[in-house]
Amino acid sequence: MSSVYISEPATSGKVVLETTAGDIEIELWSKETPKACRNFIQLCLEGYYDNTIFHRVSPGWIVQGGDPTGTGNGGESIYGAPFADEFHSRLRFSRRGMLAMASTGPNENGSQFFITLTATPELQKKHTLFGSVVGDSVFNALKLGEGDVDKETERPAHPKRIKQVRVLDNPFADIVPRDVSRSEQLQDTQSKPKARKAKMVKNKHLLSFADDDGDEIVQPAKGKSSHDLLDSDPMLSKSAAPLPKTSGQPSSDTRVQVDLVPALPLAARPASPSLSGKKTSDIESKIRAAEQDIQKLDSKKGKRMSAEKSAKATGGSGQQPKTRIGALSMSKKTKQSRKKASESELLARLNAFQDRIRSTKKTADESTSWLAHSLKFKSEDSPDQA
């Protein structure tokens, strides 16, 4: 929500609506929408909105007021005629408490205004947004939408009322309030004929001053197609040309009507054919033959497994068939012979090494070198020391 306030321009101008639901403080964007703000402030200074009611309440959407007659059909601007809309890119109906002009259509702004009770982006660039409710007074504005309301006319059973309007900050110093009494305002409003535009289709979702019971619903005329425009052309024939009758095979230029074969219903469809007795016997014989083949394969497998078990029990005695078991026994014998050969070779090398050690020791004993003799010391009891 803070980004919404940052994007909005600074306000200039402030008024307070003293209502039966509490005070409502409103700040205005007089620089961005000068016509609407000048019109609103001058009407406030003239007491135009004093003792007026909020004649239209759409719960959870908007609250509309500003009509001195209280009917929704009155009110006029200070310019003597409806003034143009004013839109600004930084002013959006993005939150509750937005103040905007109510109008019957584009550039048809008078004195009536409305306050939003929630975000209403569908009203963007359709109504002039010129102020916003500030501070805690927004809760008083929400109270305006409470109470019993007629769903068809959106008129409250007990409408809230504007007691007085106080202008706290007037950005237009050149405004001179007109000295017009309330009776004269009402006479002028009632005497002037309503400036109505061409009849339009009623849309209750848009803001309107019109009475719901008096307006006529006019459907837009349908556009004519090229066929409708060419109906009055005498050069065009309205009936199709007959096809030439041909005998025998149809040519490529002749249209041929092909009848599609209708699908048979489920009851008329033929039942699935049943198996005859001959076919049944053939199938049974094939099944028996397949069972016999399976039994033969099982017996062969059992014989082979019993032979392998007997060969393992005897430890390879007798004549063994040339099977995988025989190959495995041959490989075991080969490994054992290789192991014995490696052991004998290792023993031979060990004996040779021992012989070399013995010969080296014998040679060292026979040598006269000082390395072959041990160092001996004379004892104290020797005769040489005596």
Side-chain angles (χ1 to χ4, degrees), residues 3-210:
S3 60
V4 175
Y5 292 102
I6 293 173
S7 62
E8 292 177 352
T11 58
S12 57
K14 187 173 183 179
V15 300
V16 176
L17 302 180
E18 296 181 2
T19 69
T20 54
D23 293 349
I24 300 175
E25 299 180 4
I26 298 175
E27 293 184 355
L28 307 174
W29 286 295
S30 57
K31 294 181 180 179
E32 288 74 19
T33 56
K35 291 183 179 179
C37 291
R38 177 182 285 271
N39 176 71
F40 183 73
I41 288 178
Q42 183 166 340
L43 292 178
C44 291
L45 292 173
E46 293 173 357
Y48 192 84
Y49 296 128
D50 294 351
N51 297 316
T52 59
I53 63 172
F54 291 94
H55 60 273
R56 182 184 179 188
V57 175
S58 181
W61 194 44
I62 61 102
V63 176
Q64 185 173 335
D67 180 11
T69 64
T71 60
N73 298 323
E76 64 177 6
S77 67
I78 61 172
Y79 307 108
F83 60 94
D85 295 326
E86 295 173 301
F87 302 126
H88 195 273
S89 59
R90 295 175 64 185
L91 300 180
R92 297 183 174 276
F93 290 91
S94 57
R95 55 188 174 89
R96 61 190 179 183
M98 307 306 287
L99 178 68
M101 296 299 299
S103 61
T104 56
N107 303 321
E108 292 289 335
N109 299 299
S111 65
Q112 296 191 36
F113 60 88
F114 65 90
I115 300 173
T116 62
L117 304 178
T118 184
T120 55
E122 65 274 10
L123 302 180
Q124 192 66 32
K125 292 188 178 180
K126 294 181 180 179
H127 297 271
T128 301
L129 174 59
F130 65 96
S132 66
V133 181
V134 296
D136 295 337
S137 62
V138 69
F139 298 105
N140 294 334
L142 296 177
K143 292 179 182 179
L144 299 176
E146 299 175 354
D148 297 334
V149 180
D150 188 354
K151 295 182 179 179
E152 294 182 359
T153 61
E154 294 185 340
R155 190 173 182 86
H158 305 283
K160 307 295 190 301
R161 182 171 52 87
I162 299 175
K163 297 185 291 184
Q164 185 182 0
V165 182
R166 290 183 288 113
V167 179
L168 302 182
D169 182 13
N170 182 9
F172 306 100
D174 57 340
I175 290 180
V176 178
R178 299 171 296 176
D179 188 9
V180 181
S181 62
R182 174 57 59 85
S183 59
E184 292 178 357
Q185 293 176 0
L186 295 176
Q187 290 177 2
D188 294 340
T189 303
Q190 295 174 358
S191 61
K192 289 185 179 180
K194 298 179 182 178
R196 304 283 296 183
K197 298 179 71 176
K199 292 183 179 179
M200 301 174 64
V201 178
K202 182 188 296 184
N203 189 351
K204 290 188 176 182
H205 292 290
L206 299 179
L207 299 177
S208 170
F209 303 154

